[in-house]
Amino acid sequence: GAVVSQHPSWVICKSGTSVKIECRSLDFQATTMFWYRQFPKQSLMLMATSNEGSKATYEQGVEKDKFLINHASLTLSTLTVTSAHPEDSSFYICSARGGTSGLYEQYFGPGTRLTVT
Amino acid sequence: SQQGEEDPQALSIQEGENATMNCSYKTSINNLQWYRQNSGRGLVHLILIRSNEREKHSGRLRVTLDTSKKSSSLLITASRAADTASYFCGTNTGNQFYFGTGTSLTVIP
Protein backbone atom coordinates (compact mmCIF):
# COMPACT_ATOMS: atom_id res chain seq x y z
CA GLY A 1 0.00 0.00 0.00
CA ALA A 2 0.91 3.66 -0.24
CA VAL A 3 3.11 5.21 2.43
CA VAL A 4 2.43 8.32 4.44
CA SER A 5 5.08 9.68 6.77
CA GLN A 6 4.88 12.17 9.61
CA HIS A 7 7.57 14.22 11.21
CA PRO A 8 8.35 14.49 14.01
CA SER A 9 7.05 11.28 15.58
CA TRP A 10 7.04 12.96 18.96
CA VAL A 11 7.66 16.46 20.22
CA ILE A 12 7.75 18.18 23.59
CA CYS A 13 7.34 21.93 23.69
CA LYS A 14 6.75 24.65 26.22
CA SER A 15 3.43 26.34 26.66
CA GLY A 16 3.05 29.34 24.36
CA THR A 17 5.31 28.09 21.62
CA SER A 18 4.24 26.88 18.16
CA VAL A 19 4.83 23.44 16.75
CA LYS A 20 4.77 22.33 13.14
CA ILE A 21 3.98 18.77 12.11
CA GLU A 22 4.66 17.56 8.58
CA CYS A 23 2.75 14.93 6.67
CA ARG A 24 4.12 13.53 3.43
CA SER A 25 2.80 11.08 0.91
CA LEU A 26 5.89 9.23 -0.25
CA ASP A 27 4.82 7.35 -3.33
CA PHE A 28 1.62 8.96 -4.54
CA GLN A 29 0.11 12.36 -5.06
CA ALA A 30 -2.26 13.25 -2.25
CA THR A 31 -5.02 15.42 -3.61
CA THR A 32 -6.78 15.40 -0.26
CA MET A 33 -5.26 15.30 3.21
CA PHE A 34 -6.90 14.97 6.60
CA TRP A 35 -5.75 15.80 10.10
CA TYR A 36 -7.01 13.97 13.17
CA ARG A 37 -6.48 14.36 16.90
CA GLN A 38 -6.74 11.54 19.38
CA PHE A 39 -6.85 11.88 23.16
CA PRO A 40 -5.98 8.89 25.37
CA LYS A 41 -8.51 6.07 25.21
CA GLN A 42 -10.64 7.99 22.73
CA SER A 43 -11.33 7.76 19.04
CA LEU A 44 -9.77 9.84 16.30
CA MET A 45 -11.54 13.12 15.75
CA LEU A 46 -11.34 14.73 12.33
CA MET A 47 -9.98 18.26 12.67
CA ALA A 48 -9.85 19.41 9.07
CA THR A 49 -9.79 18.34 5.45
CA SER A 50 -7.64 20.03 2.86
CA ASN A 51 -7.40 19.78 -0.89
CA GLU A 52 -4.13 20.76 -2.53
CA GLY A 53 -3.97 24.45 -3.24
CA SER A 54 -7.16 25.25 -1.35
CA LYS A 55 -7.92 26.43 2.13
CA ALA A 56 -8.63 23.72 4.66
CA THR A 57 -12.17 22.95 5.73
CA TYR A 58 -12.32 22.75 9.52
CA GLU A 59 -14.72 20.64 11.52
CA GLN A 60 -17.06 22.32 13.95
CA GLY A 61 -15.32 23.31 17.16
CA VAL A 62 -11.79 23.33 15.71
CA GLU A 63 -10.13 26.74 15.84
CA LYS A 64 -8.66 27.46 12.43
CA ASP A 65 -6.46 30.26 13.79
CA LYS A 66 -4.94 27.90 16.32
CA PHE A 67 -4.46 24.91 14.05
CA LEU A 68 -2.99 26.21 10.82
CA ILE A 69 -3.06 23.78 7.93
CA ASN A 70 -1.12 24.24 4.74
CA HIS A 71 -1.44 21.83 1.84
CA ALA A 72 0.97 23.54 -0.50
CA SER A 73 1.89 20.59 -2.68
CA LEU A 74 0.53 17.21 -3.71
CA THR A 75 2.91 15.43 -1.34
CA LEU A 76 3.08 17.69 1.71
CA SER A 77 0.68 19.06 4.27
CA THR A 78 1.64 20.77 7.50
CA LEU A 79 -0.25 21.34 10.73
CA THR A 80 1.00 24.14 12.95
CA VAL A 81 -0.29 24.27 16.50
CA THR A 82 0.10 27.92 17.45
CA SER A 83 0.57 29.11 21.02
CA ALA A 84 0.31 25.56 22.27
CA HIS A 85 -1.11 24.85 25.72
CA PRO A 86 -1.10 21.68 27.82
CA GLU A 87 -4.65 20.86 26.69
CA ASP A 88 -3.32 20.61 23.12
CA SER A 89 -1.22 17.63 24.16
CA SER A 90 -2.50 14.81 22.01
CA PHE A 91 -1.73 12.29 19.30
CA TYR A 92 -2.03 13.91 15.87
CA ILE A 93 -2.49 11.68 12.83
CA CYS A 94 -2.61 12.72 9.21
CA SER A 95 -4.18 10.86 6.34
CA ALA A 96 -3.82 11.19 2.60
CA ARG A 97 -5.99 10.23 -0.32
CA GLY A 98 -5.13 10.16 -3.98
CA GLY A 99 -8.27 11.92 -5.09
CA THR A 100 -11.15 14.06 -3.90
CA SER A 101 -13.70 11.31 -4.34
CA GLY A 102 -14.61 9.01 -1.50
CA LEU A 103 -13.87 6.10 -3.80
CA TYR A 104 -10.16 6.50 -3.10
CA GLU A 105 -8.53 4.56 -0.27
CA GLN A 106 -7.34 6.41 2.80
CA TYR A 107 -3.71 6.06 3.94
CA PHE A 108 -2.62 7.07 7.41
CA GLY A 109 0.62 8.36 8.82
CA PRO A 110 2.14 6.84 11.99
CA GLY A 111 1.12 9.81 14.13
CA THR A 112 2.88 12.54 16.09
CA ARG A 113 2.69 12.66 19.86
CA LEU A 114 2.67 16.24 21.10
CA THR A 115 3.30 17.03 24.76
CA VAL A 116 3.01 20.62 25.88
CA THR A 117 4.56 21.38 29.25
CA SER B 1 -19.23 10.97 17.58
CA GLN B 2 -18.72 12.76 14.31
CA GLN B 3 -20.02 9.94 12.21
CA GLY B 4 -20.70 6.74 14.07
CA GLU B 5 -20.87 4.61 17.11
CA GLU B 6 -19.33 1.26 17.83
CA ASP B 7 -20.40 -1.38 20.23
CA PRO B 8 -19.45 -2.87 22.45
CA GLN B 9 -17.16 -0.22 23.88
CA ALA B 10 -15.04 -2.95 25.40
CA LEU B 11 -14.90 -6.68 24.84
CA SER B 12 -12.96 -9.33 26.72
CA ILE B 13 -12.77 -12.90 25.42
CA GLN B 14 -10.69 -16.03 25.80
CA GLU B 15 -8.14 -16.96 23.19
CA GLY B 16 -9.71 -19.09 20.49
CA GLU B 17 -13.14 -17.50 20.78
CA ASN B 18 -14.66 -15.28 18.13
CA ALA B 19 -14.99 -11.52 18.60
CA THR B 20 -17.73 -9.46 16.98
CA MET B 21 -17.88 -5.70 17.01
CA ASN B 22 -20.45 -3.48 15.38
CA CYS B 23 -20.34 -0.07 13.78
CA SER B 24 -23.27 2.19 13.02
CA TYR B 25 -22.97 5.38 10.99
CA LYS B 26 -25.12 8.35 10.17
CA THR B 27 -24.95 9.29 6.50
CA SER B 28 -24.48 7.66 3.10
CA ILE B 29 -21.02 6.32 2.46
CA ASN B 30 -18.78 5.37 -0.44
CA ASN B 31 -16.92 2.76 1.56
CA LEU B 32 -16.26 1.66 5.10
CA GLN B 33 -12.90 0.62 6.46
CA TRP B 34 -11.82 -1.16 9.62
CA TYR B 35 -8.60 -0.35 11.44
CA ARG B 36 -6.69 -1.72 14.39
CA GLN B 37 -4.67 0.39 16.79
CA ASN B 38 -2.37 -0.93 19.43
CA SER B 39 -2.00 1.24 22.49
CA GLY B 40 -0.23 4.48 21.68
CA ARG B 41 0.57 3.43 18.14
CA GLY B 42 -0.61 4.27 14.63
CA LEU B 43 -3.43 2.71 12.69
CA VAL B 44 -3.24 -0.58 10.84
CA HIS B 45 -5.64 -0.92 7.92
CA LEU B 46 -7.55 -4.20 8.09
CA ILE B 47 -10.17 -4.26 5.40
CA LEU B 48 -12.18 -2.01 3.09
CA ILE B 49 -15.73 -2.76 2.01
CA ARG B 50 -17.42 -0.71 -0.67
CA SER B 51 -21.00 0.50 -0.41
CA ASN B 52 -22.16 -1.98 -3.06
CA GLU B 53 -20.62 -4.95 -1.24
CA ARG B 54 -22.33 -6.89 1.52
CA GLU B 55 -19.59 -9.12 2.86
CA LYS B 56 -15.84 -9.39 2.64
CA HIS B 57 -13.28 -11.79 4.04
CA SER B 58 -9.59 -11.45 4.76
CA GLY B 59 -7.91 -14.27 6.65
CA ARG B 60 -9.60 -14.52 10.05
CA LEU B 61 -11.57 -11.34 9.43
CA ARG B 62 -15.08 -11.15 8.13
CA VAL B 63 -16.80 -7.83 7.53
CA THR B 64 -20.43 -7.27 6.67
CA LEU B 65 -22.13 -4.11 5.53
CA ASP B 66 -25.83 -3.29 5.62
CA THR B 67 -26.35 0.08 3.99
CA SER B 68 -30.10 0.02 4.67
CA LYS B 69 -29.38 -0.11 8.40
CA LYS B 70 -26.21 1.98 8.10
CA SER B 71 -24.25 -0.61 10.00
CA SER B 72 -21.26 -2.87 9.65
CA SER B 73 -19.78 -5.67 11.71
CA LEU B 74 -16.28 -7.04 12.08
CA LEU B 75 -15.86 -10.66 13.10
CA ILE B 76 -12.46 -11.95 14.18
CA THR B 77 -12.44 -15.73 14.32
CA ALA B 78 -10.18 -17.91 16.45
CA SER B 79 -8.86 -14.90 18.33
CA ARG B 80 -5.28 -14.68 19.56
CA ALA B 81 -3.67 -12.71 22.35
CA ALA B 82 -1.98 -10.60 19.65
CA ASP B 83 -5.43 -9.41 18.50
CA THR B 84 -5.66 -7.34 21.70
CA ALA B 85 -6.08 -3.77 20.46
CA SER B 86 -8.63 -1.08 19.76
CA TYR B 87 -10.66 -1.45 16.59
CA PHE B 88 -12.19 1.45 14.70
CA CYS B 89 -14.50 1.67 11.74
CA GLY B 90 -13.99 4.58 9.36
CA THR B 91 -16.49 5.85 6.85
CA ASN B 92 -15.80 7.61 3.57
CA THR B 93 -18.66 10.04 3.05
CA GLY B 94 -17.27 11.81 0.02
CA ASN B 95 -14.80 14.43 1.10
CA GLN B 96 -14.74 13.49 4.78
CA PHE B 97 -13.48 10.37 6.52
CA TYR B 98 -14.84 9.86 10.02
CA PHE B 99 -14.10 7.27 12.68
CA GLY B 100 -16.46 5.49 15.00
CA THR B 101 -16.00 5.50 18.74
CA GLY B 102 -13.98 2.28 18.77
CA THR B 103 -14.06 -1.07 20.50
CA SER B 104 -11.33 -2.09 22.91
CA LEU B 105 -10.71 -5.83 22.53
CA THR B 106 -8.82 -7.86 25.10
CA VAL B 107 -7.99 -11.46 24.28
CA ILE B 108 -7.02 -13.45 27.35
CA PRO B 109 -4.42 -16.17 26.73
Side-chain angles (χ1 to χ4, degrees), chain A residues 34 36 38 43 46 59 97 102, chain B residues 2 31 37 92 94 97 100:
Chain A
F34 306 78
Y36 296 84
Q38 184 181 35
S43 185
L46 178 64
E59 293 294 305
R97 194 162 72 189
Chain B
Q2 288 172 317
N31 63 61
Q37 185 182 38
N92 237 327
F97 189 90

Side-chain angles (χ1 to χ4, degrees), chain B residues 1 3-7 22-26 89 99-102:
Chain B
S1 71
Q3 170 62 350
E5 305 285 332
E6 287 181 60
D7 78 273
N22 305 293
C23 166
S24 61
Y25 54 92
K26 298 175 183 174
C89 65
F99 285 94
T101 49

